Amino acid sequence: MKNALYVLAASILVSALALCWAVKTAAPAVPEDWQAEVCARVRDMVLAREVIPADYLRCLDQDLAARAEEYNSETANLKSQYTVYAKEHIHGMFEYYRTEEPERLNYFASEELVCEAAAHLARCALYRNPQQLYYEDPAMAYALSGEAGGSGTLWANAVHQGFQAGGNLVMEVEAYLDQVDEFMDALGGAA
């Protein structure tokens, strides 16, 4: 009986060692079509208007990598311009309410809330339907809620209009939106 237990223990040990060796020497699992997976991840980043990390560019072909670099540059540039635009308008509303309606709850007093709202507006401005996206963020919804239905929301609702945001910025964002469409089509063709 003791010999049978020793044989059983020895066979379990040998099996465990063989399994460890097999796992250690096995090649890492590489997705069957890893380039399609990278393109899908890049598409997700573009849909979220995120800057694509440089490591991803190494996995794309030369044309897609060049498009990604241009997309990254324009995304960062437009986010910066729209953040400044939003902060100026939100601070202007703060000053108006501070002087004209001091009894009204001042939801622009929090610099953190202003920064969150400005960043959200800047991201939303990089889509064709920014007005529909504003209310997805509590900070932006809060900033605009007191202005709903009046000319006070014009600065937010007209981010793609030259009379409000400036002709150069509007031309840049229109070109950017076309660029994003073409980039997404190219990524879809590469997948």
Side-chain angles (χ1 to χ4, degrees), residues 126-140:
L126 301 184
Y127 293 92
R128 294 192 189 276
N129 62 336
Q131 300 85 351
Q132 296 166 332
L133 300 172
Y134 291 150
Y135 293 94
E136 295 295 315
D137 178 69
M140 190 67 189

Side-chain angles (χ1 to χ4, degrees), residues 10-122:
S11 65
I12 291 172
L13 180 61
V14 169
S15 297
L17 289 173
L19 182 60
C20 289
W21 177 80
V23 168
K24 184 177 179 184
T25 59
V30 176
E32 214 171 285
D33 191 0
W34 62 272
Q35 288 177 322
E37 187 176 319
V38 169
C39 285
R41 288 183 186 172
V42 169
R43 256 193 326 271
D44 290 344
M45 287 182 249
V46 173
L47 285 171
R49 299 307 190 260
E50 297 171 353
V51 172
I52 303 162
D55 290 344
Y56 281 83
L57 304 185
R58 294 179 52 208
C59 300
L60 300 174
D61 68 35
Q62 191 173 10
D63 177 55
L64 289 176
R67 287 176 186 247
E69 286 177 352
E70 186 178 342
Y71 160 82
N72 280 348
S73 176
E74 288 302 312
T75 299
N77 174 44
L78 288 170
K79 278 186 180 181
S80 174
Q81 289 186 64
Y82 274 115
T83 299
V84 169
Y85 170 85
K87 282 182 78 171
E88 288 174 357
H89 284 83
I90 292 171
H91 282 295
M93 290 170 70
F94 167 75
E95 289 302 317
Y96 171 80
Y97 287 121
R98 190 172 63 82
T99 58
E100 299 297 321
E101 298 181 36
E103 70 284 349
R104 186 173 175 180
L105 174 63
N106 193 342
Y107 43 81
F108 300 112
S110 167
E111 190 63 30
E112 183 179 342
L113 187 63
V114 169
C115 289
E116 287 177 26
H120 184 69
L121 179 130

Side-chain angles (χ1 to χ4, degrees), residues 115-184:
C115 289
E116 287 177 26
H120 184 69
L121 179 130
R123 189 182 65 76
C124 291
L126 301 184
Y127 293 92
R128 294 192 189 276
N129 62 336
Q131 300 85 351
Q132 296 166 332
L133 300 172
Y134 291 150
Y135 293 94
E136 295 295 315
D137 178 69
M140 190 67 189
Y142 194 53
L144 292 176
S145 66
E147 304 300 311
S151 61
T153 58
L154 187 60
W155 65 274
N157 291 329
V159 294
H160 292 168
Q161 305 297 319
F163 71 88
Q164 185 65 34
N168 289 339
L169 182 55
V170 170
M171 288 188 326
E172 284 182 53
V173 80
E174 286 174 2
Y176 170 82
L177 293 170
D178 292 339
Q179 173 195 16
V180 167
D181 291 344
E182 291 169 7
F183 186 34
M184 291 290 288

